[in-house]
Amino acid sequence: MRPSGRTSNQLRPITITRQFTKHAEGSVLIEFGETKVLCNASVVEGVPRFLKGKGQGWVTAEYGMLPRSTHSRMDREASRGKQGGRTLEIQRLIGRSLRAAVDLGQLGENTIYVDCDVIQADGGTRTASISGASIALHDALFHMRKTGMIKTNPLRHMVGSVSVGIYKGTPILDLDYIEDSSAETDMNLVMDENGGFIEIQGTAEGETFTGDELMQMLELGKQGIREIFDLQRKAVAV
Amino acid sequence: MRPSGRTSNQLRPITITRQFTKHAEGSVLIEFGETKVLCNASVVEGVPRFLKGKGQGWVTAEYGMLPRSTHSRMDREASRGKQGGRTLEIQRLIGRSLRAAVDLGQLGENTIYVDCDVIQADGGTRTASISGASIALHDALFHMRKTGMIKTNPLRHMVGSVSVGIYKGTPILDLDYIEDSSAETDMNLVMDENGGFIEIQGTAEGETFTGDELMQMLELGKQGIREIFDLQRKAVAV
Amino acid sequence: MRPSGRTSNQLRPITITRQFTKHAEGSVLIEFGETKVLCNASVVEGVPRFLKGKGQGWVTAEYGMLPRSTHSRMDREASRGKQGGRTLEIQRLIGRSLRAAVDLGQLGENTIYVDCDVIQADGGTRTASISGASIALHDALFHMRKTGMIKTNPLRHMVGSVSVGIYKGTPILDLDYIEDSSAETDMNLVMDENGGFIEIQGTAEGETFTGDELMQMLELGKQGIREIFDLQRKAVAV
Amino acid sequence: MRPSGRTSNQLRPITITRQFTKHAEGSVLIEFGETKVLCNASVVEGVPRFLKGKGQGWVTAEYGMLPRSTHSRMDREASRGKQGGRTLEIQRLIGRSLRAAVDLGQLGENTIYVDCDVIQADGGTRTASISGASIALHDALFHMRKTGMIKTNPLRHMVGSVSVGIYKGTPILDLDYIEDSSAETDMNLVMDENGGFIEIQGTAEGETFTGDELMQMLELGKQGIREIFDLQRKAVAV
Amino acid sequence: MRPSGRTSNQLRPITITRQFTKHAEGSVLIEFGETKVLCNASVVEGVPRFLKGKGQGWVTAEYGMLPRSTHSRMDREASRGKQGGRTLEIQRLIGRSLRAAVDLGQLGENTIYVDCDVIQADGGTRTASISGASIALHDALFHMRKTGMIKTNPLRHMVGSVSVGIYKGTPILDLDYIEDSSAETDMNLVMDENGGFIEIQGTAEGETFTGDELMQMLELGKQGIREIFDLQRKAVAV
Amino acid sequence: MRPSGRTSNQLRPITITRQFTKHAEGSVLIEFGETKVLCNASVVEGVPRFLKGKGQGWVTAEYGMLPRSTHSRMDREASRGKQGGRTLEIQRLIGRSLRAAVDLGQLGENTIYVDCDVIQADGGTRTASISGASIALHDALFHMRKTGMIKTNPLRHMVGSVSVGIYKGTPILDLDYIEDSSAETDMNLVMDENGGFIEIQGTAEGETFTGDELMQMLELGKQGIREIFDLQRKAVAV
């Protein structure tokens, strides 16, 4: 039924490449099928002004799409002179999700910037970003410990994220672009390794969704994120 | 247990004043306790460029806070030269929620702008905005029919919205500022009059939330929104 | 002769509501007929960079119009990314007028921001803003004394402001929107309680004005401002 | 008593150089003592959007200061990314003053931009700008007639402008920078050749001014502008 | 002598990957050693306003660096709200270089945007961009012919580019970051396949360079670009 | 053959006026024929953040064109809200060229801003800017020594600049606007008094240029710059 031939609860093939670039303390290329996002975590001494002198650190994210990561070319945000509302909304979501995974007090007065740049888009860029950023963050924290910037590991758990939706009346997992374009409902889930929810963002496009549909989507999402955690753990075990 | 003495499933007193200003086709001051938002719906001929010639209309929203609507003064966004990410995120949410209530084909090539400006903030400004904007939209559409701009009523249903959260371990309805500031989880619900979900946005602040807590919050929210629909219907019946 | 039936030297009904919102140290809704402006004075510790270390304070103003405060909807300045020339001109005028009323040396290194936001416009928003801001400033200074931030009252006098103009060849007081739109001359006066002039800004629209007309407008304005001072004094006497 | 040794009603030496640059249809360097402003009037076919199809033209002005036209270097507005409030206020004043001199209906659907760029500032740049722009406008209109763009001369009269003020308690004419910096009151007058007022903008700096002082300043200003009209007429008679 | 052990006239290993992403009509990842740039050519119907109705096309380029493509993280230009001078300078250079290779008349009223985004920087990003963009442009033009948008091939020749410089007194070819940081002179050459010069941009850093050094650099650059043309031809022959 | 009747190696008449304005520490109006640029050098205490505490100074440049310095009026960059790519490219070139002439260590922690504002453009504004800025810089440094801000002269040598190009197949020196508009190649050279190259920027417009043509252009440029150095030396000898 799905254009790709996947079953309703089937993730796309997920590939995780660590150390994709050489400068960033954590650098991960994550692929959810044809969606490819480069997640670079940078360790920078100091914290934003509102945290100065409080003895804690900060984790924040920025998100961007290369102009031709999409089917038709989008304007370059740097050239238009501002980031769009969708971009800001996504980078706020990534940032909150990552901060939920870190004990900021153990970070010292350091900031980790995680840049998620979409090389190729085919649906689910924000959930791929979060899932990849979690590993880049892991690697950046490991680098900080190795170089003595911090003594203990502030990472409480990995963060996994996936989209679910109602497509032609059926709940499905991990929507690609074609599915996303005509889905009645689109929902993004972010969870921790203990099954706790960090973020739920569900939007009806056209038709509203019922409580039952919500339950089915949550169930699909939980299963999908469990698989993502397995892949993340395998990736960092190398 | 709640600072205000409310029970966990108790809304704040809600006041709806229609025709609050005289120029807008729909003008509603909505108060959720001490939170006061002015929702003005303006009818403008024509549609944005991406809809030209498609024979349908558009509904969009803008959101702003007066600089001293908050405890300490915020910078004026017009003076800083851009709207912040939170502002853009909220006005996108309001716009999507309202469009879910309107048959855009019946609007003709007209645009309705709904401006939600926060006069005084005490938590829940985005859910108050949506609940008030729904009435302002209703009034603007009525004005369009009365003046012959449209023949039929494009409004499918009212839209209601409320926040729920986990506060000191307990699910509560309609958080005020004090509760919001220390809640473990904050969730905004938007629904239609038939009990369908339009938007769910839940965020864990510090602690993640469980599936059970999610269910309890959804239940509280559904009840609260039912009460809001009653108040909306009473207000427009006058 | 005037569309409203007022005599040439008659002010519109003026209403002053103090403590209109709860967060600001001074909060005044002022109404000149159908023109409604919310004036919030905020006390903020510290001064702009150019005054640091000089042992004095600062008073400044910002002005804005809600997008649908006017007959047809205006673009939101925050969304356009900049304040227009008219806005900047008005907020500079309000700021200068208020500073003329305050002994900045007695303020200490504190800043008072007065935000004048137009809820509904029907002509004369700048003069209503100044007249209302003067009371909001008064209340904020009272708050500073009460809380011990300052020892003495830096307020030298109230500030009153009104518009005058030539309408169909006749000098009139306090123009509403209809009059303003077709007036040959529009002049704004700002004065102190001793009859001294703080600002005069007169503009010929179409036809120039003579010295005689100027004299008549000044006379009308002086009378009008005297009445405004009476209303201000009554308002703060409560 | 004046730092320059001038009497209270004495203008600075005024020099007017037409055709100062070669591209502009009207190009005037005007000098009021050490204040030097280049006023270029450009004729451009077409009108702003709000005037399209109305069969009339438009006259508008832009103002700028070279970064080192002043005692200490100012930031370049193009580099800061916006024009300041003072700049916008001044260019609005110049534009209004020039439009008062032109029958826009006779202009056809053409726009005249008058750029006033301050090469060297020593007080009174806005009044020098207006007085010089009037001649540049005259020359641009002459060019339009000569080239057949218009049939009749839309210029009703020249526009003259000068500043007056209260300096050490005495009303004086045409303040230079030193006087302006310590004047109690600063007023700018714009008039037509028939003695009609186009603009009056008076500001008390520190001390308010009385009605008597206002009368004295107006008298001084009228005399000064008469002299400026003589110089303008001589300049264009060549 | 060179940190990398290369001889003075030795290029870094160059890798060209076509069809690196799937949406762009031409998509090339080009690597000059550790410098990696993604060059995406997008075909868009229509031309910029200044070319409308002239029956010709346009080729333009945009350039960006991912925030962590560099040793330490740079601010994201989209977030700062403007592109820096270096970025604009480079994208203007790329655009001019590509236009020199295309007969714009044969393009029809179509625009090709070439986006050069630096994934990893190690010196020479602008010359790698031009060399890779030339292939992406080639592929996009091939796509246009295949799909019938154009009848003939507007590409006159490939464009090759390389940097040369004076490093520790010796002319060298294709500087990497370490060499670039301490070179006395840095020069970028752009040439066509017939040995004609398209662009020369040489800058002395600290010490000026002599006519003899210039000749030696030009000679090195010509040789290097010949090798690049060989690699380009091999890449597109596949 | 040249529209102006000049021989191929003939400069336009060059005029240098020092102390053109009174506030700047160095103020030079330089004219290359009809091209007129005002170059003002300002001495400001302190250095940009990236140099703080390093015990050295900085020299930087800004460039602008008055809106009607050109044949048809250009938009004012301050009003458009940003400097264009051409402007940034030119001011970066001027800044680098001037820094090549100064021992920044001898400047102390001071900055010299050189503002080059084009009063009238007729081709070659960037080379005229550099040639004039060199003298303004010289004068500003002299002022610093005279007032005791620095003990020794940090100026190593003057900087001269001229354009060369291929026009109708012939190499020519110092292109005016008509020549520049139809030249096949345009090259800007910046040199020091010892014949060393500081910058070479050559661009083929339409046709590429050969090595031989490059040599001829360099030879013409060297001769032209020698003449400019003679004029600079004469100007500062007064």
Side-chain angles (χ1 to χ4, degrees):
Chain A
M1 178 218 63
R2 301 178 71 170
S4 61
R6 282 189 281 155
T7 59
S8 63
N9 67 351
Q10 192 179 350
L11 291 172
R12 291 176 283 182
I14 293 176
T15 309
I16 293 166
T17 309
R18 288 163 74 202
Q19 295 177 286
F20 186 76
T21 63
K22 70 171 185 173
H23 299 306
E25 283 74 31
S27 178
V28 170
L29 181 77
I30 191 158
E31 302 171 64
F32 274 46
E34 296 281 12
T35 289
K36 302 179 187 194
V37 185
L38 174 53
C39 307
N40 282 335
S42 300
V43 178
V44 176
E45 287 181 43
V47 286
R49 199 180 310 176
F50 69 93
L51 284 180
K52 276 202 178 127
K54 302 206 171 162
Q56 70 161 89
W58 190 241
V59 175
T60 188
E62 294 195 357
Y63 171 92
M65 300 185 88
L66 294 192
R68 195 54 197 281
S69 59
T70 45
H71 282 75
S72 51
R73 187 178 183 272
M74 301 185 312
D75 285 346
R76 185 178 290 266
E77 290 186 324
S79 162
R80 288 181 49 226
K82 64 174 176 178
Q83 296 176 291
R86 178 184 170 275
T87 295
L88 290 170
E89 191 175 304
I90 292 176
Q91 69 188 21
R92 284 162 53 90
L93 171 66
I94 302 171
R96 284 197 309 268
S97 299
L98 296 178
R99 282 192 295 278
V102 176
D103 181 335
L104 297 172
Q106 293 184 40
L107 251 190
E109 294 217 343
N110 299 298
T111 299
I112 299 180
Y113 291 89
V114 186
D115 289 288
C116 297
D117 284 278
V118 179
I119 305 294
Q120 188 172 281
D122 188 37
T125 63
R126 79 189 73 188
T127 50
S129 292
I130 294 169
S131 300
S134 177
I135 305 169
L137 175 63
H138 167 278
D139 289 355
L141 293 171
F142 182 82
H143 175 271
M144 289 176 82
R145 279 214 294 171
K146 213 178 54 184
T147 58
M149 285 182 79
I150 52 176
K151 293 279 178 290
T152 54
N153 189 352
L155 193 71
R156 294 171 174 162
H157 50 71
M158 297 300 272
V159 178
S161 179
V162 81
S163 74
V164 287
I166 310 288
Y167 173 70
K168 302 194 175 175
T170 305
I172 59 171
L173 177 67
D174 187 21
L175 288 70
D176 60 28
Y177 177 75
I178 293 179
E179 293 166 341
D180 194 34
S181 308
S182 61
E184 294 101 61
T185 291
D186 177 30
M187 180 175 296
N188 296 293
L189 296 178
V190 186
M191 300 183 77
D192 73 2
E193 290 175 273
N194 307 315
F197 289 101
I198 296 172
E199 287 273 345
I200 295 182
Q201 294 198 340
T203 298
E205 315 269 0
E207 293 308 305
T208 60
F209 53 97
T210 65
D212 276 359
E213 288 172 325
L214 173 58
M215 293 306 108
Q216 291 173 288
M217 288 190 285
L218 291 174
E219 198 46 52
L220 274 179
K222 276 194 263 185
Q223 291 175 25
I225 289 178
R226 269 199 293 271
E227 292 182 52
I228 290 168
F229 281 128
D230 285 344
L231 293 164
Q232 287 180 331
R233 279 187 289 254
K234 254 180 234 159
V236 300
V238 180
Chain B
M1 178 218 67
R2 299 179 72 170
S4 61
R6 281 189 281 152
T7 60
S8 63
N9 66 351
Q10 191 179 351
L11 291 172
R12 290 174 284 183
I14 292 175
T15 308
I16 294 167
T17 309
R18 287 164 76 202
Q19 296 176 284
F20 186 76
T21 63
K22 70 170 186 174
H23 299 306
E25 284 73 30
S27 178
V28 170
L29 181 77
I30 191 159
E31 302 172 63
F32 274 47
E34 297 280 13
T35 289
K36 302 179 186 195
V37 185
L38 175 53
C39 307
N40 281 337
S42 300
V43 178
V44 176
E45 286 182 43
V47 285
R49 199 179 310 175
F50 69 94
L51 284 180
K52 277 203 177 126
K54 302 205 171 162
Q56 68 160 89
W58 190 240
V59 175
T60 189
E62 294 196 357
Y63 171 91
M65 299 184 90
L66 295 192
R68 195 55 196 283
S69 59
T70 45
H71 282 76
S72 51
R73 186 179 182 273
M74 300 186 313
D75 285 346
R76 185 178 289 268
E77 290 187 323
S79 162
R80 288 180 49 225
K82 63 175 178 178
Q83 295 177 293
R86 177 184 171 277
T87 295
L88 290 170
E89 192 175 305
I90 292 175
Q91 70 188 19
R92 283 161 56 88
L93 171 65
I94 302 171
R96 283 197 309 269
S97 299
L98 296 178
R99 282 191 294 277
V102 176
D103 181 334
L104 298 173
Q106 293 184 41
L107 251 190
E109 293 216 344
N110 298 298
T111 299
I112 300 180
Y113 291 89
V114 186
D115 289 288
C116 297
D117 285 278
V118 179
I119 305 294
Q120 188 172 282
D122 188 37
T125 63
R126 80 188 72 188
T127 50
S129 292
I130 293 168
S131 300
S134 177
I135 305 169
L137 176 62
H138 168 278
D139 288 356
L141 292 172
F142 183 81
H143 176 270
M144 289 176 82
R145 279 213 293 170
K146 213 177 53 185
T147 58
M149 287 181 79
I150 52 176
K151 294 277 177 295
T152 54
N153 189 351
L155 193 71
R156 297 170 173 162
H157 50 73
M158 298 298 272
V159 178
S161 179
V162 81
S163 74
V164 286
I166 310 289
Y167 174 70
K168 301 194 175 173
T170 303
I172 59 171
L173 176 67
D174 187 23
L175 289 69
D176 60 27
Y177 177 75
I178 293 179
E179 293 166 341
D180 194 35
S181 307
S182 60
E184 293 102 60
T185 291
D186 177 30
M187 179 174 298
N188 296 293
L189 296 179
V190 186
M191 300 182 77
D192 73 3
E193 289 175 275
N194 307 316
F197 289 101
I198 296 172
E199 288 273 344
I200 296 182
Q201 294 197 341
T203 298
E205 315 270 359
E207 292 309 305
T208 59
F209 54 97
T210 66
D212 276 358
E213 288 171 326
L214 173 59
M215 293 308 107
Q216 291 172 287
M217 288 190 285
L218 291 174
E219 199 46 52
L220 274 179
K222 276 193 264 186
Q223 289 176 28
I225 289 178
R226 269 198 295 271
E227 292 182 52
I228 289 168
F229 281 127
D230 285 343
L231 293 164
Q232 288 180 331
R233 279 186 290 255
K234 254 180 237 161
V236 300
V238 180
Chain C
M1 178 215 67
R2 300 178 71 170
S4 60
R6 281 188 281 154
T7 60
S8 63
N9 67 351
Q10 192 180 350
L11 291 173
R12 290 175 284 183
I14 292 175
T15 309
I16 293 167
T17 310
R18 287 163 75 200
Q19 295 176 284
F20 186 76
T21 63
K22 71 170 186 174
H23 299 306
E25 284 74 30
S27 178
V28 169
L29 181 75
I30 191 159
E31 301 171 63
F32 274 47
E34 297 280 12
T35 288
K36 301 178 187 196
V37 185
L38 175 53
C39 307
N40 281 336
S42 300
V43 178
V44 176
E45 286 182 43
V47 284
R49 197 180 310 177
F50 70 94
L51 283 180
K52 278 205 175 123
K54 302 205 172 165
Q56 69 160 89
W58 190 241
V59 175
T60 187
E62 295 196 356
Y63 171 91
M65 299 186 90
L66 294 193
R68 196 56 196 282
S69 58
T70 45
H71 282 77
S72 51
R73 186 179 182 272
M74 300 186 313
D75 286 346
R76 185 178 289 268
E77 291 187 323
S79 163
R80 288 181 47 225
K82 63 176 177 177
Q83 295 177 291
R86 179 185 170 276
T87 295
L88 290 170
E89 192 174 305
I90 292 176
Q91 69 189 20
R92 284 161 54 88
L93 170 66
I94 302 171
R96 283 196 309 270
S97 298
L98 296 178
R99 282 192 294 279
V102 175
D103 180 335
L104 298 172
Q106 293 184 40
L107 251 190
E109 294 217 343
N110 299 297
T111 299
I112 298 179
Y113 291 89
V114 185
D115 288 288
C116 297
D117 284 278
V118 178
I119 305 295
Q120 187 173 282
D122 188 37
T125 64
R126 80 190 71 188
T127 50
S129 293
I130 294 168
S131 300
S134 176
I135 305 169
L137 176 63
H138 168 278
D139 289 355
L141 293 171
F142 182 81
H143 176 271
M144 289 177 82
R145 278 213 294 171
K146 213 179 54 185
T147 58
M149 286 182 80
I150 51 175
K151 294 279 176 294
T152 53
N153 190 352
L155 193 71
R156 295 171 174 161
H157 50 72
M158 297 298 274
V159 178
S161 179
V162 80
S163 74
V164 287
I166 310 288
Y167 174 71
K168 302 194 175 173
T170 304
I172 59 171
L173 176 67
D174 187 23
L175 288 69
D176 60 28
Y177 177 76
I178 293 179
E179 292 165 340
D180 194 34
S181 307
S182 60
E184 294 101 62
T185 292
D186 178 29
M187 181 176 295
N188 296 293
L189 296 179
V190 186
M191 299 181 77
D192 73 2
E193 290 175 272
N194 307 315
F197 289 102
I198 297 172
E199 288 272 343
I200 295 182
Q201 295 198 340
T203 299
E205 315 268 0
E207 293 307 306
T208 58
F209 53 98
T210 64
D212 275 358
E213 287 171 327
L214 173 58
M215 292 307 108
Q216 290 173 288
M217 289 189 284
L218 291 174
E219 197 48 50
L220 274 178
K222 277 193 262 185
Q223 289 176 27
I225 289 177
R226 269 198 295 270
E227 291 182 51
I228 290 168
F229 281 127
D230 285 343
L231 293 164
Q232 287 179 332
R233 279 186 291 255
K234 255 181 235 161
V236 300
V238 180
Chain D
M1 177 217 66
R2 300 178 71 170
S4 61
R6 282 190 280 154
T7 59
S8 62
N9 67 351
Q10 191 179 353
L11 291 172
R12 292 175 284 182
I14 292 176
T15 310
I16 293 168
T17 310
R18 288 164 75 202
Q19 295 175 287
F20 187 76
T21 64
K22 71 171 185 174
H23 299 306
E25 284 74 30
S27 178
V28 170
L29 181 77
I30 191 159
E31 302 171 65
F32 274 47
E34 296 280 13
T35 289
K36 301 178 187 195
V37 184
L38 175 52
C39 306
N40 281 336
S42 300
V43 178
V44 176
E45 286 182 42
V47 286
R49 198 180 310 175
F50 70 94
L51 283 180
K52 279 205 175 124
K54 303 207 172 162
Q56 69 160 89
W58 190 241
V59 176
T60 188
E62 294 195 356
Y63 171 92
M65 298 185 90
L66 295 192
R68 194 55 196 282
S69 59
T70 44
H71 282 76
S72 51
R73 187 179 182 272
M74 300 186 312
D75 285 347
R76 184 177 290 266
E77 290 187 325
S79 163
R80 288 181 48 225
K82 63 175 176 177
Q83 295 177 291
R86 178 183 170 277
T87 295
L88 291 171
E89 191 174 305
I90 292 175
Q91 69 188 20
R92 285 161 54 88
L93 170 66
I94 302 171
R96 284 197 309 269
S97 298
L98 296 178
R99 282 192 294 279
V102 176
D103 181 334
L104 297 173
Q106 293 184 40
L107 250 190
E109 292 215 344
N110 299 297
T111 299
I112 299 179
Y113 292 88
V114 185
D115 289 288
C116 298
D117 285 278
V118 178
I119 305 295
Q120 187 172 284
D122 188 37
T125 65
R126 80 189 70 189
T127 50
S129 293
I130 293 168
S131 300
S134 176
I135 305 168
L137 176 63
H138 167 278
D139 288 357
L141 293 171
F142 182 82
H143 175 270
M144 289 176 83
R145 281 213 294 170
K146 212 177 55 185
T147 59
M149 287 182 78
I150 52 176
K151 294 280 177 292
T152 53
N153 189 352
L155 193 70
R156 296 169 173 163
H157 49 70
M158 298 300 273
V159 178
S161 180
V162 80
S163 74
V164 287
I166 310 289
Y167 174 69
K168 302 195 174 174
T170 303
I172 59 172
L173 176 67
D174 186 23
L175 289 68
D176 61 29
Y177 177 75
I178 293 179
E179 292 166 342
D180 193 35
S181 308
S182 60
E184 292 101 61
T185 292
D186 177 30
M187 180 174 296
N188 297 293
L189 296 178
V190 185
M191 300 183 78
D192 73 2
E193 292 175 271
N194 307 316
F197 288 102
I198 296 172
E199 289 272 345
I200 295 182
Q201 295 198 339
T203 299
E205 315 269 1
E207 293 307 306
T208 59
F209 54 97
T210 65
D212 276 359
E213 287 171 327
L214 173 58
M215 291 308 107
Q216 291 173 288
M217 288 190 286
L218 291 173
E219 199 46 53
L220 273 179
K222 277 194 262 186
Q223 290 175 26
I225 290 178
R226 270 199 292 271
E227 292 183 50
I228 290 168
F229 282 128
D230 285 343
L231 293 165
Q232 288 180 331
R233 280 187 288 256
K234 254 180 235 160
V236 299
V238 180
Chain E
M1 178 217 64
R2 300 177 72 169
S4 62
R6 282 189 282 154
T7 59
S8 63
N9 66 351
Q10 192 179 350
L11 290 172
R12 290 176 284 184
I14 292 175
T15 308
I16 293 167
T17 309
R18 287 164 75 202
Q19 296 176 285
F20 187 75
T21 63
K22 70 171 185 173
H23 298 305
E25 285 72 30
S27 179
V28 169
L29 181 76
I30 191 159
E31 302 170 64
F32 273 49
E34 297 279 13
T35 288
K36 302 178 187 195
V37 184
L38 175 53
C39 307
N40 281 337
S42 299
V43 178
V44 176
E45 285 182 43
V47 285
R49 197 179 311 175
F50 70 93
L51 284 179
K52 274 196 180 134
K54 302 205 172 164
Q56 69 161 88
W58 191 241
V59 176
T60 188
E62 294 195 357
Y63 170 92
M65 299 184 89
L66 294 193
R68 195 54 196 282
S69 59
T70 44
H71 282 76
S72 51
R73 186 177 183 274
M74 300 185 314
D75 284 346
R76 185 177 290 266
E77 290 186 325
S79 163
R80 289 181 47 224
K82 63 174 178 177
Q83 296 177 291
R86 177 184 172 277
T87 294
L88 291 170
E89 190 175 306
I90 292 176
Q91 70 189 20
R92 283 162 55 88
L93 170 65
I94 302 171
R96 283 197 310 270
S97 298
L98 296 178
R99 282 192 294 278
V102 176
D103 181 333
L104 297 173
Q106 293 184 40
L107 251 190
E109 293 217 344
N110 299 296
T111 299
I112 300 179
Y113 291 89
V114 185
D115 289 288
C116 297
D117 284 278
V118 178
I119 305 296
Q120 188 172 280
D122 188 37
T125 64
R126 80 188 72 189
T127 51
S129 293
I130 293 168
S131 299
S134 177
I135 305 169
L137 176 63
H138 167 278
D139 288 356
L141 292 172
F142 182 81
H143 176 271
M144 289 177 81
R145 279 213 295 169
K146 214 177 53 187
T147 57
M149 286 182 78
I150 52 176
K151 293 279 177 292
T152 53
N153 189 351
L155 193 70
R156 296 170 173 162
H157 51 70
M158 298 298 274
V159 179
S161 180
V162 79
S163 74
V164 287
I166 310 288
Y167 175 69
K168 301 195 175 173
T170 304
I172 58 171
L173 177 67
D174 186 23
L175 288 69
D176 61 27
Y177 177 76
I178 293 180
E179 292 165 341
D180 194 35
S181 307
S182 61
E184 294 102 61
T185 291
D186 177 31
M187 180 174 295
N188 297 293
L189 296 178
V190 186
M191 300 182 77
D192 73 3
E193 291 176 272
N194 308 316
F197 288 101
I198 296 171
E199 287 273 344
I200 295 181
Q201 294 197 341
T203 298
E205 316 269 0
E207 292 309 304
T208 59
F209 53 97
T210 65
D212 275 359
E213 287 171 327
L214 174 58
M215 293 307 107
Q216 290 173 290
M217 288 189 286
L218 291 173
E219 197 47 51
L220 273 178
K222 277 195 263 186
Q223 290 176 27
I225 289 178
R226 270 199 293 271
E227 290 183 52
I228 289 168
F229 281 129
D230 285 343
L231 294 164
Q232 287 180 332
R233 279 187 290 255
K234 255 180 234 159
V236 299
V238 180
Chain F
M1 177 217 64
R2 301 179 70 169
S4 61
R6 281 189 281 154
T7 59
S8 62
N9 66 351
Q10 192 178 352
L11 291 172
R12 290 175 283 183
I14 292 175
T15 309
I16 293 167
T17 310
R18 288 164 75 201
Q19 295 176 285
F20 187 76
T21 63
K22 70 171 186 174
H23 299 306
E25 284 74 29
S27 178
V28 169
L29 181 77
I30 190 160
E31 302 171 63
F32 274 48
E34 296 281 12
T35 289
K36 302 179 187 194
V37 185
L38 174 53
C39 306
N40 281 338
S42 299
V43 178
V44 176
E45 285 182 43
V47 285
R49 198 181 310 176
F50 70 93
L51 283 180
K52 277 202 177 127
K54 302 206 171 162
Q56 68 160 89
W58 190 240
V59 175
T60 189
E62 295 195 356
Y63 171 92
M65 298 184 90
L66 294 193
R68 195 55 196 280
S69 58
T70 45
H71 283 75
S72 50
R73 188 180 181 271
M74 301 185 315
D75 285 346
R76 185 178 290 266
E77 291 187 323
S79 164
R80 289 181 46 226
K82 64 175 176 176
Q83 295 177 293
R86 177 183 172 277
T87 295
L88 291 170
E89 191 174 305
I90 292 175
Q91 69 189 21
R92 285 162 54 88
L93 171 66
I94 303 172
R96 284 197 309 269
S97 299
L98 296 178
R99 282 192 294 278
V102 175
D103 181 334
L104 298 172
Q106 293 184 40
L107 251 189
E109 294 217 343
N110 298 297
T111 299
I112 299 179
Y113 291 89
V114 185
D115 289 287
C116 297
D117 285 277
V118 178
I119 304 295
Q120 187 172 282
D122 188 38
T125 64
R126 79 189 71 188
T127 50
S129 293
I130 293 169
S131 300
S134 177
I135 305 169
L137 175 64
H138 167 279
D139 288 356
L141 293 171
F142 183 82
H143 175 270
M144 290 177 81
R145 279 214 293 171
K146 214 178 52 186
T147 57
M149 286 182 79
I150 51 176
K151 294 279 177 294
T152 54
N153 189 352
L155 193 72
R156 295 170 174 161
H157 49 71
M158 298 299 273
V159 178
S161 179
V162 80
S163 74
V164 287
I166 310 288
Y167 174 70
K168 302 195 174 173
T170 304
I172 58 171
L173 177 67
D174 187 22
L175 289 68
D176 60 29
Y177 177 76
I178 293 180
E179 292 166 342
D180 194 34
S181 307
S182 61
E184 295 101 62
T185 292
D186 177 29
M187 180 174 296
N188 296 293
L189 296 178
V190 185
M191 299 183 77
D192 73 2
E193 291 175 272
N194 307 317
F197 289 102
I198 296 172
E199 288 272 345
I200 295 182
Q201 295 197 340
T203 297
E205 315 269 0
E207 293 307 305
T208 59
F209 53 97
T210 65
D212 275 359
E213 288 172 326
L214 174 57
M215 291 309 107
Q216 291 173 290
M217 288 190 285
L218 291 174
E219 197 47 50
L220 274 179
K222 277 194 263 186
Q223 290 175 27
I225 289 178
R226 270 198 293 271
E227 291 183 52
I228 290 168
F229 281 128
D230 285 343
L231 294 164
Q232 288 180 330
R233 278 186 290 255
K234 257 181 232 160
V236 300
V238 181

